[in-house]
Amino acid sequence: MCGLATLVLCGPRLLLGQAPDEPWRSIDTPHFRVSFPAPLEALARRAADRAERAQLGLTGLLGWAPEGRTDLVVTDHVDISNGFANVTPWKRITIYARPPVDVETLQYFDDWMELVIAHELAHVFHLDRAGWLGRLLRSVVGRYPGAWPFFPGRSQPQWVIEGIPTLYESTLTDAGRVHGTEHEMLIRVAALEGALESLDRASGTSPNWPGGDRPYVYGSRFFDHVVERYGAEAIPEFVEAAARQVIPFRLNAAGSSAFDAPLAQVWQEWRDTTRSEAESLVERLRAEGPFSEMEAVGESRRQSYSPRVSPDGRWLVYARSDGRSDSQLRRVDLERGSEESLTRTNGIATLSWAPDGAVVFSQLEYVDPYRIRADLYEVSQDRRVRRITHGARLSHPTVHPDGRTIVAVQEGEGGNRLVRVDRSTGTVTPLSAAGPDELWTEPRFSPDGRWLAAGRWLPGARLDVVVMDGDGRVVAEATNDRARDDAPTWSADGRWLVWASDRTGIPNIVAATFDPATGQVGSPLRMTHTAGGFRYPGLAPDGQWLYVSAYHADGWRIERTAFAPEDASLASLGVRYGDGRAAAQAYGDHAAEPVGPYRALSSAWPHYWEPWYGAPLTLGGTRALGAGYGVQTGGGDVVGRHSWAAAARLQTQESRWEGAFTYSFRGLGVPVLGLGVSQTYDAGRLSALRSDSTRATLFTVERERRADVSAEIEQRRWRSVRALTLSAGWVQQQRVLLNESLEPTEEFRLRSPEQTFLEGSATLVASTARGFAFSPSAEEGVTGLVRARRRQATSLADSLSDQPGVDGSFDELIGRMRAYKGLRAPGWGNHVLAVQAAGGWADGPGADDGHFDVGDAAGTLESVSGFELFGGRPRLFPLRGYAAGVRTGSRAWSTSLEYRVPLVEVRRGLGAWPLFLDRVSASLFFDAGNAWGPSEAPFANPRQATLYSTGVELVSDWLPLWDSTLRIRSGVGVPLVEGDGARMYVRVGTAF
């Protein structure tokens, strides 16, 4: 179990999905406690109503409901559409208040709050379900933050965990991802291009496309097939069968219980059906006419969106995230065919050309460690970037032909609106009303600047293209139905309005005639014909080419086809789209519950406990400390203001108590305040010279009591973080000298058996290091750490001060730097050149010859689920090929150079069984290091030869038990100086 040093990590890992320094309030309903910042009261009331509706609906569908209230947190601290749920140590749902009106997979909704709450609450229903064994254990230890048998649903593949809620979000609404076209497209194209994944691959966590969307796409489409083939009751039967398993991870058995067939068989049945349906669809579509002839443009891959041609027709700019580098705006020279990066961006940017040749774009940035806001920037053709707004929460810019005004979408409090932005000053002026029941996306000025087209969402899943005049008044509706119509653009003469639409059931590009004099729009005509999908149209100024984001099994690419509206046919509305809901649902009684103060204690009190075991400490064959037995727990409130952990155990043989308590307070935002108290025991072995010149073996048992306070100041940006931690503490050490029988000895005495110290430290951390989806490790940037620490004895007699071996005072300075550089080369990812250098200096009477030690192989993870694995404890001065402590002293340094090479993509598992091997890489390394000091007698430790080693490591990425990914390094280090031959080792995590 966890040791004191890792106590905080072993408590609940609080997801800081909100800003803890907000003025939080609460509303209580029969099944929910809704917590929200005061400005979001109206949105929180809607959430309370939608949550109670979803509770009732899911109870009817599944036949059960979790006991007690569920915490529902509504927050507006990031300009990202998201939500998440967890069931340990309490049931909690967190909703980010940004409507997903521009998120491809989530755009089809009747009410975005209803949709996201239905999804997240389905998680709670599913993951909270347990069989008799889990319920029995939870009745004893509480909501222990583990998987089977406490919460069996967490011991299932992600496609099960996400697929069931994605199915139910659509079952409980008239829209959702199962009823939309995006997931259907992703699966259809995978089937047509030979990339439809087997059960073992779908259960893995490969970054190969569709990456993080894989569980949602495959899970929802599979369970939709199950409902159609075996009936809606098969889903709760499957959940119940898996939950009550005494022998876990038997998905085939759960499938046999619910579907009368093993899960693997049903999966194969679904794959065969999906392929057959996709092939039949292609035959039908070909009968309607030839598919659009597409031409690839540039080096687009994975996620390539929003192709925009410059006003002079020479340049194409688009947004790209390829999984092997920073997200960026790419620039294609359409005359020469060359391509280059225009500027890197924070995530996928939305963009627009300005008439002077600059590109205006929106990107995210941290305001503080908790808040992320979207703002407008512009980049010139010589790559100079200028920030236009600060904290304005703007996206989807379009620049007026006069170059002075920008129209953009502004987020806020669960809704959005269109605004005008002065390009030179950043001043923002509203153009439309704000609110959650009229949402906007992708505005685009007409070439003459008189008209503005945009995607407008209204309740009832009505995402339509409308045309507005200069005052923001809607003058024409290009569409008015439940199809998804958005991302409009214009022909250069202003007589064609072009946009993306799935009205035929397949995402295509449509166009309509436009009258620049009256603003009237003609009927939608289908401009493209495909069995895949096209989005984000862009037109060349000469009207010759239509550029699109085209979907393939490996992601979105930029392609183009001839723009020929004269050959277009009517784009009729597919039969899949009904009338839907005419308006937003009215609030129920639960939305009128009174608002009260936020009560942190309701969630911060302990919800679980777990055993805490300490292994005996044996020195030289003698057990110096006995085993310890105790308990530990932890907690925190749902908005992240408070977090704490506590542990206590008894060494039964000696009746000694150990314990610790730590607490952090984030209510100020910055700084984060902390305190901790602890009592621990340790033991050492030494020899002493008797008066008759014989040596006696002695043991020291040291009790250390600590009390610490700290403050952490953090500054975070999208690609960097800096943090300063200041701490002060009181330390009391009491040592007892024991003989070989572990009894107090009268023969020898310690000169100073008890000492008290005051301790202070300052730690500065800075990092720009980052990796990407296909990185074997961090591969760009540097990270550094510097810590200064001083420990000063306060209880020694003057005669004992400054005496080595007696006075434990010391001054210490340590530093570490790591640097990474990715290199384009063959393989599933970039090759990486990585360097680490560390140094340490200590001075004072307490800086003895064992203050630092050099040796052994480093590991970046200390524990897995609380248990140390393969000795993978991180080390400040690693030196592979040598034993730990091969060099020690008060001065130390080490350096490592690695060349990391991606070798092979395996992407294989054991069918329905919980093991998946994703990728394998290797690294060649060279290490060097030394330690020495102090120089003063009687503990002189002179400098010896510097040690060098080299070797190779094989690194494999696993997904064991369908849980957290596990990186295992198997290595061999060869000493080049001294040493006793090559040493083999196994560690967890990358070396650094």
Side-chain angles (χ1 to χ4, degrees):
M1 288 299 192
C2 304
L4 283 171
T6 58
L7 175 64
V8 174
L9 295 180
C10 297
R13 297 187 178 185
L14 300 176
L15 298 173
L16 296 178
Q18 54 280 320
D21 56 341
E22 296 272 6
W24 289 90
R25 303 290 185 267
S26 292
I27 296 173
D28 287 347
T29 71
H31 299 98
F32 298 91
R33 180 181 297 108
V34 184
S35 300
F36 56 93
L40 296 186
E41 180 178 336
L43 190 66
R45 291 189 180 280
R46 172 175 290 207
D49 174 71
R50 301 310 189 243
E52 287 292 344
R53 292 175 188 262
Q55 178 87 10
L56 181 63
L58 287 168
T59 302
L61 289 168
L62 291 169
W64 69 77
E67 295 181 357
R69 277 198 176 103
T70 297
D71 278 290
L72 173 57
V73 178
V74 181
T75 177
D76 193 25
H77 69 294
V78 296
D79 290 343
I80 298 170
S81 302
N82 204 355
F84 57 85
N86 55 301
V87 293
T88 63
W90 14 236
K91 303 185 297 296
R92 181 181 75 166
I93 295 170
T94 298
I95 306 299
Y96 294 171
R98 182 185 186 273
V101 68
D102 59 349
V103 180
E104 296 93 343
T105 58
L106 293 171
Q107 285 179 306
Y108 193 54
F109 56 84
D110 295 300
D111 176 331
W112 76 266
M113 180 65 78
E114 175 187 53
L115 188 77
V116 68
I117 287 180
H119 181 98
E120 301 305 338
L121 186 59
H123 273 308
V124 175
F125 272 68
H126 172 210
L127 300 179
D128 189 69
R129 194 67 174 166
W132 69 266
L133 179 58
R135 294 194 300 270
L136 175 63
L137 292 174
R138 278 156 56 174
S139 70
V140 176
V141 302
R143 303 186 69 85
Y144 173 75
W148 180 90
F150 304 94
F151 296 93
R154 300 177 72 185
S155 295
Q156 295 172 1
Q158 282 297 310
W159 67 262
V160 175
I161 293 175
E162 295 295 349
I164 291 174
T166 306
L167 172 73
Y168 282 133
E169 79 185 32
S170 294
T171 305
L172 291 176
T173 70
D174 289 344
R177 282 169 277 194
V178 171
H179 295 320
T181 57
E182 200 77 8
H183 281 192
E184 187 179 86
M185 177 193 71
L186 268 62
I187 290 296
R188 179 178 65 249
V189 173
L192 294 175
E193 297 186 7
L196 192 62
E197 295 190 335
S198 57
L199 177 59
D200 62 324
R201 287 196 169 187
S203 299
T205 53
S206 169
N208 286 62
W209 194 260
D213 279 334
R214 179 180 291 105
Y216 303 85
V217 175
Y218 278 84
S220 64
R221 301 309 301 176
F222 172 77
F223 284 119
D224 186 51
H225 166 81
V226 167
V227 170
E228 184 177 338
R229 175 71 172 79
Y230 299 97
E233 67 279 359
I235 305 301
E237 289 175 4
F238 174 77
V239 173
E240 184 67 26
R244 64 173 180 254
Q245 287 181 345
V246 177
I247 302 174
F249 308 117
R250 295 182 300 118
L251 286 184
N252 277 329
S256 295
S257 177
F259 317 140
D260 294 325
L263 183 75
Q265 179 180 321
V266 180
W267 186 276
Q268 187 58 47
E269 172 190 279
W270 167 70
R271 292 181 76 206
D272 293 341
T273 301
T274 299
R275 289 196 193 97
S276 177
E277 291 176 348
E279 291 167 358
S280 297
L281 177 63
V282 168
E283 292 179 6
R284 179 175 65 81
L285 292 175
R286 288 191 186 280
E288 297 177 5
F291 289 144
S292 299
E293 295 184 4
M294 307 304 295
E295 176 185 337
V297 178
E299 303 171 8
S300 59
R301 60 177 71 91
R302 191 173 171 81
Q303 289 179 282
S304 299
Y305 302 127
S306 304
R308 299 284 181 256
V309 182
S310 60
D312 62 7
R314 177 178 177 181
W315 302 100
L316 175 81
V317 170
Y318 68 96
R320 189 187 82 178
S321 176
D322 63 358
R324 297 182 63 157
S325 60
D326 289 310
S327 300
Q328 54 195 272
L329 296 182
R330 303 286 295 179
R331 178 172 64 181
V332 181
D333 188 328
L334 295 176
E335 295 178 359
R336 301 179 180 178
S338 59
E339 181 173 342
E340 62 187 355
S341 173
L342 182 59
T343 184
R344 66 185 183 184
T345 59
N346 302 339
I348 300 292
T350 54
L351 63 127
S352 173
W353 282 97
D356 58 5
V359 175
V360 174
F361 63 98
S362 171
Q363 66 175 353
L364 298 166
E365 186 56 274
Y366 279 87
V367 176
D368 58 38
Y370 308 100
R371 296 171 179 84
I372 302 174
R373 298 299 186 218
D375 273 297
L376 298 186
Y377 301 73
E378 67 175 62
V379 56
S380 63
Q381 288 300 299
D382 58 1
R383 297 190 179 91
R384 289 180 297 174
V385 177
R386 181 180 75 90
R387 187 168 186 169
I388 299 174
T389 64
H390 295 264
R393 311 188 67 179
L394 301 175
S395 61
H396 300 291
T398 179
V399 183
H400 192 277
D402 65 11
R404 298 190 300 270
T405 302
I406 303 167
V407 166
V409 177
Q410 184 177 53
E411 308 295 338
E413 300 183 6
N416 68 24
R417 64 183 178 183
L418 295 176
V419 296
R420 290 190 185 94
V421 183
D422 187 292
R423 186 180 169 195
S424 61
T425 66
T427 303
V428 176
T429 305
L431 186 61
S432 68
D437 291 328
E438 184 181 55
L439 305 174
W440 300 91
T441 182
E442 296 277 1
R444 193 67 52 193
F445 274 115
S446 62
D448 60 5
R450 180 181 176 186
W451 306 104
L452 186 71
R456 182 188 65 180
W457 176 93
L458 294 176
R462 295 181 119 75
L463 179 57
D464 295 297
V465 170
V466 299
V467 177
M468 294 171 283
D469 61 18
D471 295 325
R473 182 177 60 90
V474 174
V475 297
E477 295 178 335
T479 58
N480 185 359
D481 49 53
R482 281 172 62 83
R484 188 183 66 183
D485 296 275
D486 71 334
T489 192
W490 302 83
S491 62
D493 60 7
R495 296 189 175 275
W496 286 96
L497 181 60
V498 183
W499 68 92
S501 176
D502 65 356
R503 59 194 304 102
T504 64
I506 293 177
N508 266 293
I509 306 302
V510 301
T513 57
F514 182 78
D515 186 342
T518 65
Q520 295 307 300
V521 183
S523 299
L525 304 175
R526 189 174 65 186
M527 303 302 300
T528 60
H529 189 40
T530 181
F534 298 134
R535 298 213 61 183
Y536 302 109
L539 284 170
D542 61 7
Q544 179 180 359
W545 294 105
L546 170 65
Y547 293 85
V548 298
S549 293
Y551 186 73
H552 296 271
D554 59 354
W556 294 91
R557 308 176 196 166
I558 304 301
E559 297 177 354
R560 69 181 184 180
T561 189
F563 180 61
E566 64 277 3
D567 298 331
S569 59
L570 187 67
S572 58
L573 188 67
V575 295
R576 68 188 297 151
Y577 300 109
D579 292 335
R581 302 176 183 176
Q585 294 186 66
Y587 291 158
D589 294 338
H590 302 304
E593 301 286 355
V595 173
Y598 172 69
R599 302 183 299 276
L601 186 61
S602 62
S603 56
W605 60 276
H607 290 76
Y608 77 97
W609 64 270
E610 62 177 311
W612 183 33
Y613 171 72
L617 177 61
T618 301
L619 299 174
T622 300
R623 191 169 69 173
L625 292 177
Y629 304 90
V631 297
Q632 64 178 5
T633 185
D637 67 309
V638 294
V639 307
R641 280 183 181 171
H642 312 274
S643 60
W644 63 274
R649 69 185 175 195
L650 175 65
Q651 293 176 356
T652 55
Q653 180 177 345
E654 303 88 355
S655 297
R656 298 190 184 107
W657 281 98
E658 291 185 296
F661 176 81
T662 60
Y663 169 77
S664 293
F665 177 68
R666 295 181 175 84
L668 301 177
V670 177
V672 176
L673 305 179
L675 65 86
V677 293
S678 65
Q679 175 172 293
T680 59
Y681 285 89
D682 200 359
R685 183 170 179 261
L686 51 85
S687 63
L689 188 66
R690 294 190 176 95
S691 58
D692 59 2
S693 298
T694 61
R695 288 198 169 271
T697 298
L698 300 174
F699 297 90
T700 60
V701 175
E702 180 180 275
R703 182 194 70 192
E704 180 176 280
R705 291 175 174 169
R706 296 187 62 96
D708 299 279
V709 294
S710 65
E712 181 184 28
I713 302 169
E714 180 182 300
Q715 182 186 61
R716 184 174 292 273
R717 293 294 180 264
W718 193 263
R719 284 182 294 271
S720 66
V721 61
R722 290 179 288 182
L724 173 65
T725 302
L726 304 175
S727 67
W730 169 87
V731 183
Q732 182 192 64
Q733 293 178 343
Q734 184 183 67
R735 293 181 295 169
V736 177
L737 199 59
L738 307 177
N739 59 27
E740 291 180 332
S741 301
L742 299 181
E743 298 292 337
T745 177
E746 298 293 335
E747 187 177 0
F748 300 95
R749 290 195 313 166
L750 293 169
R751 297 185 64 186
S752 179
E754 183 172 317
Q755 292 191 52
T756 302
F757 303 93
L758 292 179
E759 188 173 280
S761 68
T763 304
L764 178 64
V765 176
S767 178
T768 63
R770 59 199 183 277
F772 313 109
F774 293 96
S775 297
S777 69
E779 66 168 78
E780 289 293 338
V782 298
T783 179
L785 175 150
V786 177
R787 185 183 73 184
R789 183 163 64 124
R790 182 168 197 179
R791 174 179 286 189
Q792 182 64 50
T794 63
S795 59
L796 283 178
D798 292 343
S799 60
L800 298 179
S801 296
D802 297 325
Q803 291 194 25
V806 179
D807 188 347
S809 304
F810 63 81
D811 295 320
E812 177 189 84
L813 181 67
I814 62 173
R816 184 182 65 204
M817 185 277 294
R818 295 169 175 173
Y820 309 90
K821 180 59 182 176
L823 307 171
R824 289 297 174 108
W828 50 260
N830 295 334
H831 295 205
V832 178
L833 184 64
V835 180
Q836 174 177 260
W841 169 92
D843 198 21
D848 57 24
D849 58 355
H851 196 90
F852 300 118
D853 69 277
V854 175
D856 198 15
T860 57
L861 297 182
E862 181 177 272
S863 63
V864 175
S865 299
F867 294 89
E868 290 185 9
L869 185 64
F870 309 133
R873 184 179 295 275
R875 302 186 62 84
L876 181 60
F877 304 109
L879 190 57
R880 288 162 284 193
Y882 295 92
V886 65
R887 292 282 192 269
T888 63
S890 58
R891 312 285 191 272
W893 66 271
S894 74
T895 187
S896 299
L897 175 66
E898 288 199 15
Y899 187 76
R900 298 168 179 170
V901 182
L903 293 181
V904 61
E905 288 183 291
V906 180
R907 297 188 62 209
R908 291 294 180 189
L910 299 177
W913 293 100
L915 186 65
F916 178 80
L917 174 58
D918 187 16
R919 300 168 187 273
V920 178
S921 60
S923 63
L924 303 174
F925 67 82
F926 176 81
D927 291 351
N930 204 352
W932 66 96
S935 58
E936 299 84 3
F939 302 103
N941 179 29
R943 183 169 184 167
Q944 304 178 63
T946 296
L947 301 179
Y948 302 92
S949 68
T950 188
V952 62
E953 293 180 343
L954 194 66
V955 183
S956 53
D957 292 329
W958 298 81
L959 181 69
L961 306 182
W962 291 316
D963 204 346
S964 302
T965 56
L966 181 66
R967 175 164 288 178
I968 298 179
R969 290 184 296 129
S970 304
V972 57
V974 180
L976 301 179
V977 176
E978 300 178 10
D980 53 0
R983 299 174 66 92
M984 299 183 65
Y985 55 89
V986 180
R987 293 290 186 269
V988 173
T990 52
F992 58 89

